[in-house]
Amino acid sequence: MAETMILVPGRSQSQGTSLNEGKLEDEYKRVTSTAELNEKDMQRLKLKDGDKIKLKSDVGQTVVTCKGKKHEDLPLGMIFIPYGPPSSELMASDTAGTGMPLSKHMEVKVTKVK
Amino acid sequence: MTKEATQTDAQVKNKKPVSKKVDPYEGKNIKIVKDATCTFCGCVCDDMELTVDVDEHRILKAKKACVLGRAWFYEHKVDTRPGVLIDGKEATFQEGVEAAAQILIDAKFPTTYGMSDSTCESQRVTVEIMDTINGNIDTTTSVCHGPSGMAFQGVGESTATLGEVKNRADLVIYWGGNPAESHPRHFTRYAVTPKGMYIPNGKKDRTVVLVDVRRTPSTPVADIFMQVKPGKDFEVLWALRALVKGKKIANDIEKQTGVSREVLDDLVDRMKNCQFGVLFFGMGLTMTRGRHFNSGALLSLAADLNEFTHFVAKPVRGHGNVTGADNVVSWQTGYPFGVNFNRGYPRFNPGEFTTTDVLSRGEADAAMIIASDPASNFPKAAIEHMKKIPIISLDTKDTVTSSIAKVRFAVSTYGINTGGTVYRMDDVPITLRPAFESTYPGDQEVLEAIRDRVKKLLSGKKARVAA
Ligand code: SF4
C-alpha cells in the first residue's frame, strides 16, 4: 500500500562531483536516482538498501533506488534525494506568483517496486 | 669487486630503498597559474594554484580546491565534440550564428535563461540582445534565491562582505543550507574556522548554529543544531522576531515547529548579546512553503537585531556567477531577474516573466539557454514545452537541454579557458585568470556574434513592440 511522505531534494557532494563529469554520464544518473529514507521507515515498508521504490506526486512519478539513513540523521516520513531529472519529474509547475516551483517540500506516495 | 656485489640477498631485501624525489611532471610542459579562481560555486575561491599541462590542455593539480573544485578543474578538459550543431548536424560557426539570430528575431516571445555560469561580460551582451529584440530575460536566480530577491525589495538587506564576517563574526547562523556539501570552503575560508582581526582564535571565538530539517554533513560543524519541522521555518523565524522584541509567543510552539521554547530563548539571548552576528540562508528557505515570506522573515529578524548589536544576513549563492547575473541584469534593466522588454521598456514580474512560468504556460516561442540545463531540472510541463519550441543552447558540456536544442554551441569554460569578471556571493567582483586555451569560443564571443547579426537583420530598428 502506498504511503505518503515528504520528499526533500537537495545538493550532495557526489551530485556536485558527478555533475562535473557530465550530466549524461552514468554516475550522475545513479546519484540523482538514489533516495535516502529513515531506516525505521525502510523496515516498516519492508525495504532494504538497493530496493526500487516508486515515488508518485500529483504531476508525475519516478522509480528510484532506496538507501537507509540512521534514525537520528533523517526524520521519519522524510525522503532526501539529490536534485536531478527524477526529482524534477515530480515537481509541479505552479510557482504561486514567485517564479519558484515548490522544489523542496513535495508530498509523494511511496510504493515498493516488486 | 664492488661493495654492492658482496651483499647477500637478505641484505639487499632489508635495505631501505634510497628515497629519490620523483618529479611527477617530468617531461611535461607545465605552467603554474597562481591566484586562479574556482567558479564552481558562489564561494568563488580566488586563491587556487593550478598546475597545468600546457600541451595536453588539462589541469593536473588544483592546490587549495575543495572536492567540488577539484572535480570542476579536473573534468574540464579539451573536448572533441563538434563546435556547432543545427538540428543535430554539424555546422559552421557562421551558420550557427545565422540560425540563432533568425530564431530570435522570428519569435514573438523569445526568452533567455541561465547565465549564472557565465561571465558578467557575457551577461551584459545577453541583456543587450534581449533589449534589442524586446524579449524576456531571466536567470537561474528565479529558481534559487529569486524569492530572496523579492524579499530584499520588500524588507531591505543588512549586509556585509565575507571578509567582514571572517574578521568580526562571533555568531554565525546557517539556516536551510548544507555548506559542507554544497560550498565546502564556506566554513574554512570565510565564516567558521579562519582567524580574523577580532576573532584571533578562529572557531573557538565563534558560536556556530545550524538550522535545518535534517542532519547533514554540515551538522557536526555547529555548536548548536536546531531541527525544524519541514515547512515551519517561517513560524520559527516569526517566533524569534517576537522574542527579540519581548513579545509573547504561542505556548505550543514546540508542537508546531519542533523547536522548544528553551532553545528559542537561548538563541535569542545569543543573538542579542553577540558582537557581530550573521545569518547565512540557503534554499531550504526559498524553495519551501512560504518562499519569499521565509526570506523576508529572516531579513526582518536581522534588521530587528540591529537595535541590540550588529547583525547581517546573506544568502548563500549556488553557481559561480549567479550573483553577477543579479548585478548585471539589475544595472542594465533596473531589476534582478524575470524581466520583460515586450513593451519596449523593462517590466519585472516574478511569476509572470520567470522561466518556469513562461515555459510551463506555453508562452515563450523560442529560448536561448546559456550554461544551464532546464530540460533536466525544471518541472515537467516546462520541459514538455521546451521540446516544442526552437532552443539555442550554449554549454561547456552536453546536457539534456543541449540534446534537444535546434542550435547548439559548444563553448569554453569560464575561469578555466576564458577570463572576465564574476561576483562572489557577497557581491564582491573578482577577475578570472584562465589556465589554458580551449578550441571552442567563449560564450561572450558567440553572444556578440549573435547580437551583431540580430542588429544587422533588424537594420538598426528595434523589434516589434507588443500592443
Ligand atoms: S568552495 Fe566552491 S569556489 Fe571554493 S574551491 Fe570549493 S567549489 Fe570552488
Side-chain angles (χ1 to χ4, degrees), chain B residues 56-83:
Chain B
E56 281 190 27
H57 300 280
R58 66 192 182 105
I59 294 163
L60 303 173
K61 198 169 166 198
K63 214 162 142 186
K64 297 201 185 148
C66 71
V67 60
L68 298 176
R70 286 198 299 274
W72 166 256
F73 285 121
Y74 299 164
E75 296 296 340
H76 281 96
K77 302 171 232 173
V78 158
D79 223 323
T80 49
R81 62 192 179 132

Side-chain angles (χ1 to χ4, degrees), chain B residues 103-111 342 358-359 362-368 385-386 388-391 464:
Chain B
I103 289 171
L104 291 173
I105 61 164
D106 287 348
K108 285 203 178 87
F109 194 134
T111 192
N342 213 249
V358 298
L359 290 176
E363 291 165 352
D365 58 352
M368 180 161 73
H385 185 66
M386 284 181 78
K388 294 184 203 145
I389 62 172
I391 304 284
R464 98 238 88 65

Side-chain angles (χ1 to χ4, degrees), chain A residues 52-63:
Chain A
K52 301 267 185 231
I53 48 172
K54 186 169 86 183
L55 306 178
K56 193 169 185 301
S57 71
D58 287 345
V59 295
Q61 61 181 49
T62 187
V63 173

Side-chain angles (χ1 to χ4, degrees), chain A residues 16-17 19-20, chain B residues 33-50 59 61-76 116-119 162 181-186 189-190 317-323 413-426 428-435:
Chain A
T17 49
L19 176 83
N20 280 304
Chain B
V33 185
K34 290 207 164 128
D35 301 322
T37 302
C38 174
T39 48
F40 182 68
C41 87
C43 282
V44 191
C45 299
D46 58 346
D47 58 347
M48 303 284 122
E49 188 181 304
L50 305 178
I59 294 163
K61 198 169 166 198
K63 214 162 142 186
K64 297 201 185 148
C66 71
V67 60
L68 298 176
R70 286 198 299 274
W72 166 256
F73 285 121
Y74 299 164
E75 296 296 340
H76 281 96
S116 56
D117 276 323
S118 189
T119 60
L162 291 170
E181 290 198 270
S182 58
H183 302 78
R185 294 185 81 215
H186 202 275
R189 186 157 194 247
Y190 302 114
R317 305 304 307 271
H319 293 280
N321 199 25
V322 66
T323 310
T413 308
Y414 79 137
I416 293 182
N417 313 122
T418 46
T421 313
V422 300
Y423 276 65
R424 202 167 64 186
M425 63 171 81
D426 55 348
V428 171
I430 288 171
T431 304
L432 301 177
R433 290 184 180 81

